[in-house]
Amino acid sequence: MSSLRDQLSRKVYSTETGDMRKHDEADEQKAQDETRLAGLDGIVRIKRETAGRKGKGVTTLHGIPLASDELKTLMQALKKRCGSGGSLKEGVIEIQGDHRETLRAELEKRGYTVRLAGG
């Protein structure tokens, strides 16, 4: 039986070279980052959301103009600053609890334009 890595790396047809070549996951991630970054307006929006969380609130940060690796390091720094858990999902940082003002001050200190949005 082949390994999981072999199962997940599949050959994809490339129109550039006209032949089969391995599709690199890093290229795919880079392309996803480029399309996500192209749709941003440079304003970071901070929201408090409770929908689908059984009443528990989380603070979400949308529109941060960073690549996924840099976004992950920023998320870790913000979680540490708030003393709370969180995650990164599809370019959106989620921090557990209501930390809108703390995150706003921290992001403005880092040079971002920030707006509070939503409830």
Side-chain angles (χ1 to χ4, degrees), residues 25-72:
E25 291 177 14
D27 290 341
E28 187 174 321
Q29 182 65 35
K30 187 175 179 182
Q32 288 175 354
D33 281 345
E34 287 176 0
T35 56
R36 184 181 59 81
L37 291 173
L40 300 178
D41 60 357
I43 298 172
V44 178
R45 288 173 175 79
I46 301 176
K47 299 178 184 178
R48 181 175 179 272
E49 297 179 1
T50 58
R53 305 174 198 283
K54 298 182 183 177
K56 307 277 185 182
V58 296
T59 306
T60 58
L61 290 87
H62 300 264
I64 300 174
L66 293 174
S68 61
D69 294 338
E70 297 165 339
L71 203 55
K72 193 175 289 186

Short mmCIF file of all heavy atoms in Angstrom, two decimals, residues 25-72:
data_model
loop_
_atom_site.label_atom_id
_atom_site.label_comp_id
_atom_site.label_asym_id
_atom_site.label_seq_id
_atom_site.Cartn_x
_atom_site.Cartn_y
_atom_site.Cartn_z
N GLU A 25 2.10 21.45 -4.19
CA GLU A 25 1.18 22.03 -3.23
C GLU A 25 1.55 23.46 -2.88
O GLU A 25 0.69 24.28 -2.61
CB GLU A 25 1.14 21.17 -1.97
CG GLU A 25 0.49 19.83 -2.16
CD GLU A 25 0.52 18.97 -0.91
OE1 GLU A 25 0.80 19.52 0.17
OE2 GLU A 25 0.26 17.78 -1.03
N ALA A 26 2.83 23.77 -2.89
CA ALA A 26 3.26 25.14 -2.58
C ALA A 26 2.77 26.11 -3.65
O ALA A 26 2.36 27.23 -3.34
CB ALA A 26 4.77 25.20 -2.47
N ASP A 27 2.80 25.68 -4.92
CA ASP A 27 2.29 26.52 -5.99
C ASP A 27 0.79 26.76 -5.83
O ASP A 27 0.29 27.85 -6.06
CB ASP A 27 2.56 25.88 -7.35
CG ASP A 27 4.02 25.89 -7.73
OD1 ASP A 27 4.79 26.68 -7.13
OD2 ASP A 27 4.41 25.09 -8.60
N GLU A 28 0.08 25.72 -5.42
CA GLU A 28 -1.35 25.83 -5.22
C GLU A 28 -1.66 26.80 -4.08
O GLU A 28 -2.54 27.65 -4.20
CB GLU A 28 -1.94 24.45 -4.91
CG GLU A 28 -3.44 24.42 -4.84
CD GLU A 28 -3.96 23.01 -4.67
OE1 GLU A 28 -3.42 22.10 -5.28
OE2 GLU A 28 -4.94 22.86 -3.91
N GLN A 29 -0.92 26.70 -2.98
CA GLN A 29 -1.12 27.59 -1.84
C GLN A 29 -0.80 29.04 -2.23
O GLN A 29 -1.50 29.97 -1.85
CB GLN A 29 -0.25 27.16 -0.65
CG GLN A 29 -0.42 28.02 0.58
CD GLN A 29 -1.81 27.91 1.18
OE1 GLN A 29 -2.42 26.85 1.15
NE2 GLN A 29 -2.30 29.00 1.70
N LYS A 30 0.25 29.21 -3.02
CA LYS A 30 0.64 30.55 -3.46
C LYS A 30 -0.45 31.15 -4.35
O LYS A 30 -0.77 32.34 -4.22
CB LYS A 30 1.96 30.46 -4.22
CG LYS A 30 2.54 31.79 -4.57
CD LYS A 30 3.91 31.63 -5.22
CE LYS A 30 4.48 32.97 -5.60
NZ LYS A 30 5.77 32.84 -6.27
N ALA A 31 -1.03 30.34 -5.21
CA ALA A 31 -2.10 30.82 -6.09
C ALA A 31 -3.34 31.21 -5.27
O ALA A 31 -3.98 32.23 -5.55
CB ALA A 31 -2.45 29.76 -7.12
N GLN A 32 -3.67 30.42 -4.25
CA GLN A 32 -4.80 30.74 -3.40
C GLN A 32 -4.56 32.05 -2.65
O GLN A 32 -5.46 32.87 -2.51
CB GLN A 32 -5.07 29.62 -2.40
CG GLN A 32 -5.66 28.39 -3.02
CD GLN A 32 -5.80 27.24 -2.01
OE1 GLN A 32 -5.35 27.35 -0.88
NE2 GLN A 32 -6.43 26.17 -2.44
N ASP A 33 -3.33 32.24 -2.17
CA ASP A 33 -2.98 33.48 -1.47
C ASP A 33 -3.11 34.68 -2.40
O ASP A 33 -3.63 35.72 -2.01
CB ASP A 33 -1.56 33.43 -0.92
CG ASP A 33 -1.47 32.64 0.39
OD1 ASP A 33 -2.52 32.38 1.01
OD2 ASP A 33 -0.34 32.28 0.77
N GLU A 34 -2.64 34.53 -3.64
CA GLU A 34 -2.70 35.64 -4.59
C GLU A 34 -4.13 36.03 -4.90
O GLU A 34 -4.45 37.22 -4.97
CB GLU A 34 -1.95 35.27 -5.87
CG GLU A 34 -0.45 35.24 -5.71
CD GLU A 34 0.27 34.76 -6.96
OE1 GLU A 34 -0.40 34.46 -7.97
OE2 GLU A 34 1.51 34.71 -6.92
N THR A 35 -5.01 35.05 -5.09
CA THR A 35 -6.41 35.39 -5.39
C THR A 35 -7.09 36.02 -4.18
O THR A 35 -7.88 36.95 -4.32
CB THR A 35 -7.21 34.15 -5.84
OG1 THR A 35 -7.11 33.14 -4.83
CG2 THR A 35 -6.70 33.62 -7.15
N ARG A 36 -6.77 35.52 -2.97
CA ARG A 36 -7.35 36.11 -1.76
C ARG A 36 -6.86 37.54 -1.55
O ARG A 36 -7.64 38.44 -1.25
CB ARG A 36 -7.01 35.25 -0.53
CG ARG A 36 -7.66 35.73 0.75
CD ARG A 36 -7.27 34.89 1.93
NE ARG A 36 -5.85 34.85 2.19
CZ ARG A 36 -5.17 35.79 2.85
NH1 ARG A 36 -5.79 36.86 3.29
NH2 ARG A 36 -3.88 35.68 3.06
N LEU A 37 -5.56 37.76 -1.75
CA LEU A 37 -5.00 39.10 -1.56
C LEU A 37 -5.48 40.09 -2.60
O LEU A 37 -5.58 41.28 -2.32
CB LEU A 37 -3.47 39.02 -1.56
CG LEU A 37 -2.84 38.31 -0.36
CD1 LEU A 37 -1.35 38.15 -0.56
CD2 LEU A 37 -3.14 39.04 0.92
N ALA A 38 -5.78 39.61 -3.81
CA ALA A 38 -6.24 40.51 -4.87
C ALA A 38 -7.62 41.10 -4.55
O ALA A 38 -7.93 42.21 -4.98
CB ALA A 38 -6.30 39.76 -6.19
N GLY A 39 -8.42 40.38 -3.78
CA GLY A 39 -9.77 40.84 -3.46
C GLY A 39 -9.86 41.72 -2.22
O GLY A 39 -10.95 42.11 -1.83
N LEU A 40 -8.75 42.06 -1.60
CA LEU A 40 -8.77 42.84 -0.37
C LEU A 40 -8.65 44.33 -0.65
O LEU A 40 -8.04 44.74 -1.63
CB LEU A 40 -7.63 42.41 0.56
CG LEU A 40 -7.65 40.94 1.00
CD1 LEU A 40 -6.45 40.64 1.87
CD2 LEU A 40 -8.94 40.63 1.74
N ASP A 41 -9.21 45.15 0.25
CA ASP A 41 -9.16 46.60 0.08
C ASP A 41 -8.19 47.28 1.05
O ASP A 41 -8.12 48.49 1.10
CB ASP A 41 -10.56 47.20 0.23
CG ASP A 41 -11.20 46.92 1.57
OD1 ASP A 41 -10.58 46.22 2.39
OD2 ASP A 41 -12.32 47.41 1.80
N GLY A 42 -7.46 46.51 1.86
CA GLY A 42 -6.48 47.08 2.76
C GLY A 42 -7.01 47.46 4.13
O GLY A 42 -6.29 48.00 4.95
N ILE A 43 -8.29 47.19 4.37
CA ILE A 43 -8.89 47.51 5.66
C ILE A 43 -9.15 46.21 6.40
O ILE A 43 -9.78 45.30 5.87
CB ILE A 43 -10.21 48.30 5.49
CG1 ILE A 43 -9.93 49.62 4.79
CG2 ILE A 43 -10.88 48.52 6.84
CD1 ILE A 43 -11.17 50.39 4.41
N VAL A 44 -8.67 46.14 7.64
CA VAL A 44 -8.90 44.96 8.47
C VAL A 44 -10.21 45.18 9.22
O VAL A 44 -10.39 46.21 9.87
CB VAL A 44 -7.74 44.75 9.47
CG1 VAL A 44 -8.01 43.55 10.36
CG2 VAL A 44 -6.43 44.60 8.74
N ARG A 45 -11.12 44.22 9.11
CA ARG A 45 -12.41 44.33 9.79
C ARG A 45 -12.45 43.34 10.95
O ARG A 45 -12.17 42.17 10.78
CB ARG A 45 -13.53 44.06 8.80
CG ARG A 45 -13.70 45.20 7.83
CD ARG A 45 -14.69 44.91 6.73
NE ARG A 45 -14.90 46.06 5.88
CZ ARG A 45 -14.08 46.46 4.93
NH1 ARG A 45 -12.97 45.80 4.71
NH2 ARG A 45 -14.33 47.53 4.21
N ILE A 46 -12.83 43.86 12.12
CA ILE A 46 -12.92 43.04 13.32
C ILE A 46 -14.39 42.88 13.67
O ILE A 46 -15.11 43.86 13.82
CB ILE A 46 -12.16 43.69 14.50
CG1 ILE A 46 -10.69 43.88 14.13
CG2 ILE A 46 -12.30 42.86 15.75
CD1 ILE A 46 -9.88 44.59 15.18
N LYS A 47 -14.84 41.62 13.79
CA LYS A 47 -16.23 41.33 14.09
C LYS A 47 -16.31 40.41 15.31
O LYS A 47 -15.41 39.62 15.56
CB LYS A 47 -16.91 40.59 12.93
CG LYS A 47 -16.94 41.34 11.63
CD LYS A 47 -17.60 40.49 10.56
CE LYS A 47 -17.55 41.19 9.22
NZ LYS A 47 -18.15 40.35 8.17
N ARG A 48 -17.41 40.50 16.01
CA ARG A 48 -17.72 39.54 17.06
C ARG A 48 -18.85 38.67 16.55
O ARG A 48 -19.90 39.18 16.16
CB ARG A 48 -18.15 40.24 18.35
CG ARG A 48 -18.45 39.26 19.45
CD ARG A 48 -18.77 39.99 20.76
NE ARG A 48 -19.07 39.02 21.79
CZ ARG A 48 -20.30 38.52 22.01
NH1 ARG A 48 -21.31 38.90 21.26
NH2 ARG A 48 -20.48 37.64 22.96
N GLU A 49 -18.63 37.36 16.51
CA GLU A 49 -19.62 36.44 15.96
C GLU A 49 -20.00 35.40 17.00
O GLU A 49 -19.15 34.94 17.77
CB GLU A 49 -19.07 35.74 14.72
CG GLU A 49 -18.76 36.68 13.59
CD GLU A 49 -18.20 35.97 12.37
OE1 GLU A 49 -18.06 34.73 12.40
OE2 GLU A 49 -17.90 36.65 11.39
N THR A 50 -21.28 35.04 17.02
CA THR A 50 -21.75 33.97 17.90
C THR A 50 -22.53 32.92 17.12
O THR A 50 -22.85 31.87 17.67
CB THR A 50 -22.66 34.53 19.01
OG1 THR A 50 -23.76 35.20 18.41
CG2 THR A 50 -21.91 35.46 19.92
N ALA A 51 -22.85 33.17 15.87
CA ALA A 51 -23.69 32.27 15.08
C ALA A 51 -23.02 30.90 14.91
O ALA A 51 -21.86 30.80 14.54
CB ALA A 51 -23.95 32.87 13.70
N GLY A 52 -23.76 29.86 15.23
CA GLY A 52 -23.27 28.50 15.06
C GLY A 52 -22.27 28.08 16.11
O GLY A 52 -21.57 27.09 15.94
N ARG A 53 -22.19 28.81 17.22
CA ARG A 53 -21.20 28.51 18.24
C ARG A 53 -21.84 28.29 19.62
O ARG A 53 -21.19 28.46 20.64
CB ARG A 53 -20.17 29.63 18.33
CG ARG A 53 -19.51 29.91 16.99
CD ARG A 53 -18.61 31.11 17.08
NE ARG A 53 -18.28 31.66 15.79
CZ ARG A 53 -17.41 31.14 14.94
NH1 ARG A 53 -16.78 30.05 15.24
NH2 ARG A 53 -17.16 31.72 13.79
N LYS A 54 -23.12 27.97 19.62
CA LYS A 54 -23.87 27.72 20.86
C LYS A 54 -23.79 28.89 21.83
O LYS A 54 -23.63 28.71 23.03
CB LYS A 54 -23.40 26.43 21.53
CG LYS A 54 -23.60 25.20 20.67
CD LYS A 54 -23.15 23.97 21.38
CE LYS A 54 -23.29 22.77 20.46
NZ LYS A 54 -22.79 21.55 21.08
N GLY A 55 -23.84 30.12 21.30
CA GLY A 55 -23.82 31.31 22.13
C GLY A 55 -22.45 31.79 22.54
O GLY A 55 -22.31 32.87 23.09
N LYS A 56 -21.42 31.00 22.28
CA LYS A 56 -20.05 31.41 22.63
C LYS A 56 -19.57 32.40 21.57
O LYS A 56 -19.68 32.15 20.38
CB LYS A 56 -19.11 30.21 22.65
CG LYS A 56 -19.57 29.08 23.51
CD LYS A 56 -19.19 29.32 24.94
CE LYS A 56 -19.57 28.07 25.74
NZ LYS A 56 -19.31 28.20 27.12
N GLY A 57 -19.01 33.50 21.99
CA GLY A 57 -18.55 34.52 21.07
C GLY A 57 -17.10 34.35 20.68
O GLY A 57 -16.27 33.91 21.48
N VAL A 58 -16.80 34.67 19.44
CA VAL A 58 -15.42 34.72 18.97
C VAL A 58 -15.23 36.05 18.24
O VAL A 58 -16.18 36.63 17.73
CB VAL A 58 -15.03 33.56 18.02
CG1 VAL A 58 -15.09 32.23 18.71
CG2 VAL A 58 -15.87 33.57 16.77
N THR A 59 -14.01 36.52 18.24
CA THR A 59 -13.66 37.72 17.51
C THR A 59 -12.98 37.29 16.24
O THR A 59 -12.02 36.51 16.28
CB THR A 59 -12.71 38.60 18.34
OG1 THR A 59 -13.32 38.85 19.61
CG2 THR A 59 -12.45 39.92 17.65
N THR A 60 -13.49 37.75 15.08
CA THR A 60 -12.90 37.37 13.81
C THR A 60 -12.26 38.58 13.15
O THR A 60 -12.76 39.70 13.24
CB THR A 60 -13.94 36.76 12.85
OG1 THR A 60 -14.99 37.71 12.64
CG2 THR A 60 -14.53 35.49 13.42
N LEU A 61 -11.13 38.34 12.49
CA LEU A 61 -10.41 39.38 11.77
C LEU A 61 -10.40 39.03 10.29
O LEU A 61 -9.84 38.01 9.90
CB LEU A 61 -8.97 39.49 12.30
CG LEU A 61 -8.82 40.05 13.70
CD1 LEU A 61 -8.94 38.95 14.72
CD2 LEU A 61 -7.53 40.75 13.84
N HIS A 62 -11.02 39.89 9.49
CA HIS A 62 -11.13 39.67 8.06
C HIS A 62 -10.30 40.70 7.31
O HIS A 62 -10.19 41.84 7.73
CB HIS A 62 -12.59 39.84 7.61
CG HIS A 62 -13.54 38.90 8.26
ND1 HIS A 62 -13.94 37.73 7.68
CD2 HIS A 62 -14.18 38.95 9.46
CE1 HIS A 62 -14.78 37.10 8.48
NE2 HIS A 62 -14.93 37.83 9.57
N GLY A 63 -9.73 40.30 6.18
CA GLY A 63 -9.09 41.24 5.27
C GLY A 63 -7.67 41.63 5.62
O GLY A 63 -7.22 42.70 5.23
N ILE A 64 -6.95 40.80 6.34
CA ILE A 64 -5.55 41.12 6.66
C ILE A 64 -4.71 40.81 5.42
O ILE A 64 -4.69 39.67 4.96
CB ILE A 64 -5.06 40.32 7.88
CG1 ILE A 64 -5.93 40.67 9.09
CG2 ILE A 64 -3.60 40.64 8.16
CD1 ILE A 64 -5.63 39.85 10.31
N PRO A 65 -4.02 41.80 4.88
CA PRO A 65 -3.27 41.61 3.62
C PRO A 65 -1.91 40.95 3.83
O PRO A 65 -0.87 41.56 3.63
CB PRO A 65 -3.13 43.03 3.09
CG PRO A 65 -3.12 43.88 4.30
CD PRO A 65 -4.01 43.20 5.30
N LEU A 66 -1.91 39.67 4.23
CA LEU A 66 -0.68 38.92 4.43
C LEU A 66 -0.83 37.54 3.78
O LEU A 66 -1.94 37.02 3.69
CB LEU A 66 -0.38 38.73 5.92
CG LEU A 66 -0.04 39.96 6.74
CD1 LEU A 66 0.08 39.58 8.20
CD2 LEU A 66 1.24 40.60 6.24
N ALA A 67 0.29 36.96 3.40
CA ALA A 67 0.29 35.59 2.90
C ALA A 67 0.02 34.64 4.06
O ALA A 67 0.12 35.02 5.23
CB ALA A 67 1.63 35.26 2.25
N SER A 68 -0.32 33.40 3.76
CA SER A 68 -0.77 32.47 4.80
C SER A 68 0.29 32.20 5.87
O SER A 68 -0.05 32.05 7.04
CB SER A 68 -1.24 31.17 4.17
OG SER A 68 -0.18 30.56 3.47
N ASP A 69 1.57 32.13 5.51
CA ASP A 69 2.60 31.89 6.51
C ASP A 69 2.72 33.06 7.47
O ASP A 69 2.82 32.89 8.69
CB ASP A 69 3.96 31.64 5.84
CG ASP A 69 3.98 30.36 5.04
OD1 ASP A 69 3.15 29.47 5.34
OD2 ASP A 69 4.83 30.24 4.13
N GLU A 70 2.71 34.28 6.92
CA GLU A 70 2.79 35.48 7.76
C GLU A 70 1.52 35.65 8.59
O GLU A 70 1.57 36.13 9.72
CB GLU A 70 3.01 36.70 6.88
CG GLU A 70 4.33 36.66 6.13
CD GLU A 70 4.38 37.69 5.01
OE1 GLU A 70 3.31 38.14 4.55
OE2 GLU A 70 5.49 38.02 4.59
N LEU A 71 0.39 35.24 8.01
CA LEU A 71 -0.88 35.32 8.72
C LEU A 71 -0.88 34.40 9.94
O LEU A 71 -1.40 34.75 11.00
CB LEU A 71 -2.01 34.94 7.76
CG LEU A 71 -3.41 35.43 8.04
CD1 LEU A 71 -3.43 36.94 8.17
CD2 LEU A 71 -4.35 35.01 6.94
N LYS A 72 -0.25 33.24 9.79
CA LYS A 72 -0.18 32.29 10.89
C LYS A 72 0.67 32.84 12.04
O LYS A 72 0.30 32.72 13.21
CB LYS A 72 0.42 30.97 10.40
CG LYS A 72 0.26 29.83 11.38
CD LYS A 72 0.76 28.52 10.80
CE LYS A 72 -0.17 28.04 9.73
NZ LYS A 72 0.18 26.71 9.22
#
